[in-house]
Amino acid sequence: MPKASWSPPDISQAGVTLETFILEGMFQVPGATGTFTSLLNQVALAAKLITGRVRRAGLADVLGFTGDTNIQGENVQKLDVIANGTMIASLKRRGHCAALASEELQNPVFFPHATGGYLVVTDPLDGSSNIDVDISIGTIFGILRYDRTEGPPTEQSFLRTGRELVCAGYCIYGSSTVLMLTTGRGVHGFTWDPSAGEFFLSHENVRCPEKGNTYSINEGNSARWDDKVRRWNAFIKEPNKQDERPYTHRYVGSLVADAHRTLLRGGIFAYPPDTKSPEGKLRLLYEANPTAFIFEAAGGKASTGSAPILDVEPTELHARVPLIVGSKTDVETFERFMAE
Ligand code: AFP
């Protein structure tokens, strides 16, 4: 009989909850007041509540459209509204978040009674078109510090580069629910255990592989790409054993899912500009910046094709940007084609 390769997990390693992990991080910061820790816990609470709604969606009459369109001109799904409302309610509660900018709302939501100095940017439910067909979706968020001595925040307060994020993360509602998080030093992942009602540390100090062999792009847009993107796309599919070409193609159509796979396995995700979306399709503040912040913290790279995403100066709340993220080598190869 073949020897079993599985042995029971080391029970002594179980039990680092997200809350414990965040608290222990706070204890390492001299003078920390607990505000940031508490804010992060509220973001995690929203993720817990949203995962509950997502998991029961087919039973709770929350699938399908509301009949409205959002600021992006997209049809709003019932779960989009629920996720957005959950995020707002959760962040309003403790008064650490002074204002929130969301994909779902034309203008930021201001919390006038807040005393804390943080701003949150979020896509509360990314990948909406996948909701009704049970494909992975997620929540993306980023946290910026806000100097309260400057008076109440305005829309302008959000228009800062991704370098100024103090924290970014996403929660993927996939085959399991996983929350990935970074404050810039290391990326860590926590898996939701519904029986315990807790997120437990499951991916410690994630590093994006230096190079992968998977590419992720909406190939249906190829007629709209420019020649440089087409040349890169042809290159990635050319056979060449030395650098593992042709790459395998994977595309979910939820940024969270495509980014999560790319972060863990390596390779590249690209949403370049095309004739339909000349500025790119993805939103800078609450999709591209948090994703870029995570990839950089994990040793990967995030680019517009010619410059780091984190250096892009936002011109408006819902600005769009080309987004190329993944393994350092793979993103550099893409940039080389764009520079030719
Ligand atoms: P939806 O939330 O409208 O489904 O958009 C998802 C998204 O913003 C991002 O999550 C995907 O990576 C990208 O759009 C997919 O866009 P295409 O459908 O054009 O490939």
Side-chain angles (χ1 to χ4, degrees), residues 141-219:
F141 62 91
I143 302 178
L144 293 154
R145 220 185 284 284
Y146 174 67
D147 182 358
R148 294 202 69 88
T149 60
E150 288 172 11
T154 63
E155 184 164 326
Q156 194 66 27
S157 316
F158 286 92
L159 303 187
R160 290 147 59 181
T161 69
R163 295 254 174 248
E164 294 194 49
L165 287 167
V166 290
C167 172
Y170 60 79
C171 187
I172 178 166
Y173 313 114
S175 52
S176 50
T177 294
V178 176
L179 193 146
M180 302 294 292
L181 190 68
T182 183
T183 52
R185 292 184 309 267
V187 177
H188 310 284
F190 303 82
T191 300
W192 173 243
D193 179 347
S195 61
E198 289 282 1
F199 279 105
F200 287 99
L201 182 62
S202 51
H203 303 60
E204 195 167 4
N205 209 10
V206 168
R207 303 298 294 165
C208 181
E210 186 74 21
K211 181 189 167 308
N213 59 5
T214 304
Y215 78 106
S216 187
I217 191 167
N218 185 342
E219 289 265 355

Side-chain angles (χ1 to χ4, degrees), residues 8 45 51 55 74 80 82 84 106 117 123 125 135 142 146 162 186 196 198 220 230 252 272-273 284 295 306 322 340:
L45 173 64
T51 196
R55 298 292 175 212
E74 299 158 348
D80 280 328
I82 290 170
N84 190 51
Q106 178 150 14
D123 181 351
L125 207 62
I135 295 177
Y146 174 67
E198 289 282 1
R230 283 204 204 111
V252 176
L284 174 61
F295 271 80
S306 58
E340 272 170 12

Side-chain angles (χ1 to χ4, degrees), residues 36 74 81 121 142 153 192 196 210 240:
F36 179 66
E74 299 158 348
V81 176
V121 288
W192 173 243
E210 186 74 21
N240 182 329

Side-chain angles (χ1 to χ4, degrees), residues 74 126-129 218 251 253-255 271 281-283 287:
E74 299 158 348
D126 173 64
S128 311
S129 61
N218 185 342
Y251 190 74
S254 296
L255 174 61
Y271 210 117
K281 180 188 172 188
L282 301 178
R283 277 52 64 121
E287 288 185 311

